[in-house]
Amino acid sequence: MFKPPYSAPQQHGLQIRIRSGGHDYEGLSYVAEVPFVILDLLYLRNITVDIENRSAWVQAGATLGELYYMISRKSKTLGFPAGVCVTVCTGGHFSGGGYGFLMRKYGLASDNIIDAHIIDVNGNLLDRKAMGEDLFWAIRGGGGASFGVIVAWKVKLVPVPSTVTVFNVKRTLEENATEMIQKWQLVANKLDNRIFIRMDIARVKSSEKYGKLTIEASFVSMFLGGVEELLPLMQESFPELGLDRKDCSETSWVGSTVFTNGVLIGSTGHEDPEVALLNRTQIRAGKYKGKSDYVSKPIPLDGLEGLWRLLSDEEIEYVQLQFAPYGGIMDEISESETPFSHRSGYIFHIHYLVCWHEKGEEAEQRHMNWTRKLYKYMEPYASKSPRAAYLNYRDLDIGVNNEGYTNYTQASTWGVKYFKNNFKRLAMVKTKVDPHNLFRNEQSIPTLSDEEQYYLETI
Ligand SMILES: Cc1cc2nc3c(=O)[nH]c(=O)nc-3n(C[C@H](O)[C@H](O)[C@H](O)COP(=O)(O)OP(=O)(O)OC[C@H]3O[C@@H](n4cnc5c(N)ncnc54)[C@H](O)[C@@H]3O)c2cc1C
């Protein structure tokens, strides 16, 4: 059995950082301002797929690509709803939510977890029954790193048809992208829940205007069915896109995971699944800053036009806004079912990503400041009180804990943005399972004082 070495770090006052895939946006799994040790789960990669019971056990250090590949080796008609980037690991991803192209049909990865193994603060290995429903609730969206070391998850596999259809249709401003973006905002969350169309907006060189910069929207999609069924559905709901048969490719569900990962890494997306999904090398070589927003009403035309002006800033190397449609089953799951509270009422989620390769402090500050300017610009269009954020796109700008003790009110500055009212229950669970706050970082759930606990129990 894996027994974590908690006592030595405790004796020497070191923080414990837990790393599975190392994709944390702020590097909290492997960077700290204070002395720390890393518990690296890189080699816990075992995956056992049980087709008869439509489930799988997957260890924390296994990548999403490895999970998708192992499922596909056993079945062409089962899949799992999780993220797009195949080098992300299940340890961090499932514990923070985890969404991908099956979200509108089946929800998040964390909505499809049926058991887990965690090593608690006392070094005991606990399954769902032994940890109890409160802790099992907390680690499905509340982030594992506040509660213990997650060793493995048992997940429910979901039915997928043997043929799915994918496309990536790109339109620039000169090709009426603005009109399509406006229409996407009205329909993407209302489409048949088998269709997921993500809209990626970025600045590119225009092919029509001799290399001049323009804005391009990519409509990246996966449909759970064949092209014959997809075309009339799209013609009826989103004719402005002008989707044509030649834009579409039929493939298997696992083929669609290769395709969508290919859009992310800039490959053809038609590679052999074994090669594409089992490669564990992370693709982003440069630096990046990510942020997130949730939106309930379409961004009006003047808001979009202002955004195009902002994105035209050539001082910034690369910026992309990924719009992920909500609706479907996300409207049906209650806000308190798991700690992930961002459910009905939102029409889409925005992921902001700014990347640069330029070296030096000045370049870093310029890109960081510009990212914050973009986030400020988007404020009128985003959710309010709180301005909701996604834990898996961790952002320390929204608030951090103190180096020493952090009270519940202070931690709420960032906590309610990630979890809304679920933050209170997370703090209660944390206090019960880790009363001395062994598992802590810049955004770990706080341990409550007796007074805080009494107060929260009575309101
Ligand atoms: C290129 C890229 C693409 C992405 N695409 C998507 C996407 O499509 N959909 C989506 O939802 N998200 C996406 N993400 C975000 C991703 O889900 C999160 O960064 C996720 O937390 C990464 O998990 P990890 O195990 O790889 O990272 P890590 O850095 O190892 O972990 C992230 C956090 O979880 C904690 N943690 C990790 N393992 C454990 C464990 N075993 N027990 C307890 N705590 C643990 C860490 O301490 C850290 O706080 C993407 C990120 C990147 C960098």
Side-chain angles (χ1 to χ4, degrees):
M1 192 192 89
F2 169 74
K3 194 94 176 159
Y6 294 156
S7 56
Q10 264 178 304
Q11 274 165 17
H12 296 283
L14 303 175
Q15 277 193 16
I16 297 172
R17 297 296 165 119
I18 310 163
R19 176 165 67 184
S20 290
H23 283 60
D24 190 289
Y25 268 31
E26 299 279 6
L28 295 196
S29 55
Y30 57 92
V31 181
E33 297 280 324
V34 294
F36 67 104
V37 293
I38 298 179
L39 276 180
D40 204 332
L41 306 189
L42 176 72
Y43 294 110
L44 288 184
R45 295 162 57 176
N46 202 35
I47 299 171
T48 318
V49 178
D50 177 352
I51 290 300
E52 210 174 308
N53 293 305
R54 294 185 167 197
S55 65
W57 271 104
V58 52
Q59 287 189 324
T63 64
L64 300 184
E66 288 166 343
L67 176 62
Y68 299 157
Y69 179 72
M70 292 304 283
I71 296 170
S72 75
R73 280 190 48 182
K74 293 272 182 84
S75 167
K76 302 293 171 222
T77 53
L78 288 174
F80 187 70
V84 173
C85 174
V86 299
T87 54
V88 162
C89 280
T90 72
H93 185 68
F94 291 7
S95 71
Y99 77 94
F101 281 71
L102 288 174
M103 177 174 73
R104 300 188 64 248
K105 176 75 177 163
Y106 294 116
L108 308 172
S110 54
D111 297 327
N112 292 278
I113 293 169
I114 48 182
D115 203 341
H117 288 161
I118 187 170
I119 299 185
D120 73 359
V121 69
N122 300 313
N124 300 313
L125 178 65
L126 310 173
D127 66 4
R128 176 176 183 169
K129 191 154 175 260
M131 78 178 86
E133 286 305 303
D134 273 343
L135 181 53
F136 184 63
W137 173 84
I139 58 173
R140 287 174 297 145
S146 299
F147 301 99
V149 181
I150 294 153
V151 178
W153 307 97
K154 185 177 185 184
V155 297
K156 185 172 73 189
L157 304 181
V158 299
V160 290
S162 54
T163 301
V164 310
T165 307
V166 292
F167 64 81
N168 181 7
V169 172
K170 299 175 183 212
R171 298 284 186 263
T172 60
L173 293 186
E174 294 73 28
E175 296 164 322
N176 293 333
T178 306
E179 186 197 338
M180 288 172 204
I181 291 164
Q182 286 180 291
K183 184 65 187 278
W184 179 93
Q185 295 190 87
L186 297 175
V187 298
N189 67 314
K190 301 191 188 85
L191 295 171
D192 183 315
N193 64 9
R194 292 171 301 160
I195 310 179
F196 188 95
I197 308 179
R198 195 183 70 199
M199 182 171 73
D200 299 349
I201 296 180
R203 188 188 61 209
V204 296
K205 282 200 173 132
S206 164
S207 53
E208 288 184 11
K209 291 200 167 174
Y210 311 104
K212 235 184 127 224
L213 293 177
T214 184
I215 304 297
E216 182 178 75
S218 303
F219 297 88
V220 187
S221 180
M222 196 268 286
F223 169 62
L224 289 167
V227 67
E228 294 304 331
E229 205 185 346
L230 173 65
L231 288 174
L233 282 173
M234 290 296 291
Q235 184 53 34
E236 191 189 325
S237 330
F238 195 2
E240 294 78 359
L241 189 62
L243 186 70
D244 192 89
R245 186 180 302 270
K246 69 174 175 0
D247 300 319
C248 302
S249 303
E250 288 188 334
T251 180
S252 58
W253 169 74
V254 81
S256 80
T257 68
V258 175
F259 178 82
T260 51
N261 183 62
V263 173
L264 181 77
I265 64 173
S267 75
T268 64
H270 297 293
E271 298 82 13
D272 178 352
E274 189 169 336
V275 176
L277 300 180
L278 301 186
N279 176 10
R280 289 181 66 105
T281 311
Q282 200 170 331
I283 41 120
R284 284 193 187 132
K287 295 193 169 182
Y288 62 88
K289 171 73 185 158
K291 285 182 169 292
S292 58
D293 257 327
Y294 288 82
V295 177
S296 309
K297 277 196 249 156
I299 302 167
L301 182 59
D302 61 340
L304 292 175
E305 287 172 345
L307 182 59
W308 305 160
R309 285 192 289 279
L310 197 58
L311 296 182
S312 303
D313 186 344
E314 292 186 43
E315 293 283 283
I316 298 308
E317 244 178 75
Y318 182 76
V319 51
Q320 188 188 57
L321 279 72
Q322 283 181 355
F323 290 60
Y326 264 54
I329 198 173
M330 293 301 277
D331 277 348
E332 291 160 28
I333 301 174
S334 91
E335 284 195 3
S336 58
E337 180 76 24
T338 71
F340 183 95
S341 54
H342 313 321
R343 304 284 186 172
S344 84
Y346 293 122
I347 57 174
F348 54 84
H349 165 215
I350 307 178
H351 171 207
Y352 308 94
L353 188 65
V354 174
C355 309
W356 64 99
H357 289 84
E358 197 181 334
K359 295 203 170 17
E361 182 69 18
E362 187 279 324
E364 178 159 329
Q365 271 317 313
R366 179 166 18 99
H367 284 86
M368 294 293 276
N369 291 342
W370 189 88
T371 312
R372 291 171 186 141
K373 188 166 124 184
L374 170 66
Y375 189 67
K376 178 88 191 126
Y377 174 82
M378 293 300 284
E379 189 178 328
Y381 314 113
S383 57
K384 289 168 190 56
S385 308
R387 185 169 180 182
Y390 176 35
L391 178 68
N392 268 345
Y393 293 146
R394 191 186 301 283
D395 180 7
L396 296 184
D397 289 351
I398 67 171
V400 287
N401 294 336
N402 300 327
E403 245 181 51
Y405 172 72
T406 305
N407 69 34
Y408 178 78
T409 310
Q410 289 168 323
S412 297
T413 55
W414 57 266
V416 296
K417 291 173 186 149
Y418 287 141
F419 309 112
K420 292 193 192 160
N421 289 335
N422 294 329
F423 188 54
K424 176 175 143 185
R425 183 170 172 197
L426 284 169
M428 302 258 197
V429 178
K430 167 75 176 179
T431 308
K432 195 163 90 188
V433 303
D434 182 17
H436 302 296
N437 205 12
L438 174 69
F439 296 111
R440 64 184 184 278
N441 61 46
E442 291 82 343
Q443 282 185 342
S444 56
I445 307 293
T447 302
L448 300 171
S449 66
D450 290 347
E451 294 77 35
E452 284 174 326
Q453 199 164 358
Y454 176 76
Y455 174 71
L456 288 178
E457 272 165 5
T458 50
I459 54 166

